[in-house]
Amino acid sequence: GKIMARTERPLFRIAYALYTKTRLGYMYYKRQMKKARELYPAGHSTAQPCDLNGIKIIPISVLSDNYSYLVIDTAAGVAVVVDPADPQTVQAVIKEEGVVLEAILCTHKHWDHSGGNKELKKLHTSCRVYGSATDNIPGLTHPLSHRDSIAFGRLHFEALFTPGHTVGHMIYLLDGRTVGSPSSLFSGDLVFLSGCGGLHNNEKCSWGGDIALKCCCFTLICASITFTFFFLNGKCRYWVVDRICQSKLLLFPGRMFEGSAATMLSSLDTVSSLSEDTLLWPVWWPDFCKNTHGGLSQGCMGMFLSGHEYAEDNLLFAAEVEPRNSVRENKYQWVLLQRGQKLCTSPSTIGEEKQYNPFLRSHSAELHLALGLQQFQDEDWTQFRSRVLEELRKRKDIYN
């Protein structure tokens, strides 16, 4: 299949390259981190730690809507952190817990996941930085390959190579068998409740003073020059050197920036092959979990959340492509009930996702019929499923 990033307009590719390959992207990340600290001095949300028979997982509120995770072997007093986007915030939790940081597990190169690697490494000189060698991870000391195992006390992780969102995206499976609990998957920007992400947030901004555009935009500032990129319907339409409006970077989780549909299908199949009771730990916290005091609703405390912040929207899209899926309908009604009470969605598992997440159901005959797709005579099954996934991704982008 075609590389998804290459199907965008040239200016999108320029913007993405600036973000991922130049100091402009790092400067933008630092600016966003500073703004988030000012806006949320105590963090954008409050989450309870979860204890799995002596393995403690602490979600750490970072940036404006992300989470890092500190995973602790309480008996040994050692810990690893997953995607430390804000090193200052992560370090405060490490100090409070009084643990030794053994390693950083980085899922991919985007600054909202990897931005704190080097600074945290300076504070913990013996700490190792793990990630894919193909993804240009900042501060990488120990490159990993598919199915490599790493252990720290009772913390046994398996690295799973899942390219698509980036060329070297990697997820980490914490083996729960060592303590008699379900395993936990730190899935980075790969899988969410009933979806695999996409361009979800559109903003309304003014351009030219009196022309209102429903668009996405982000701004990069280098010295006194401000570069603003505007995206309309997911494609870059304008690139101007000026300050136009308040904006934010929209590199959304799960979008196939650096891989083909076939590549993403292989990565999603890796997730589908895991034990069905595996719990998913998200990068993004659902906005509807936040109560009026800025904390989390009572039902969110200590829960595993696997959905993107648009769980309801994802389930509605799933209804468009599999309208007779009763499991999806039951989940959707439950989500509506939870949201009506300002409660979070329940923990999602691999088993649940395989029943209603269309991106994990490219084998479904009902899905093929709804999409108007059928397998060509000379097309093998994997090629056909890749085509189904590509069509799903296109429709999801349009749906949003």
Side-chain angles (χ1 to χ4, degrees), residues 269-280:
D269 282 349
T270 296
V271 172
S272 294
S273 69
L274 300 177
S275 174
E276 295 200 346
D277 65 351
T278 300
L279 303 167
L280 300 179

Side-chain angles (χ1 to χ4, degrees), residues 143-155:
L144 294 171
S145 299
H146 184 52
R147 297 204 177 280
D148 278 353
S149 296
I150 46 179
F152 314 91
R154 292 180 299 169
L155 307 178

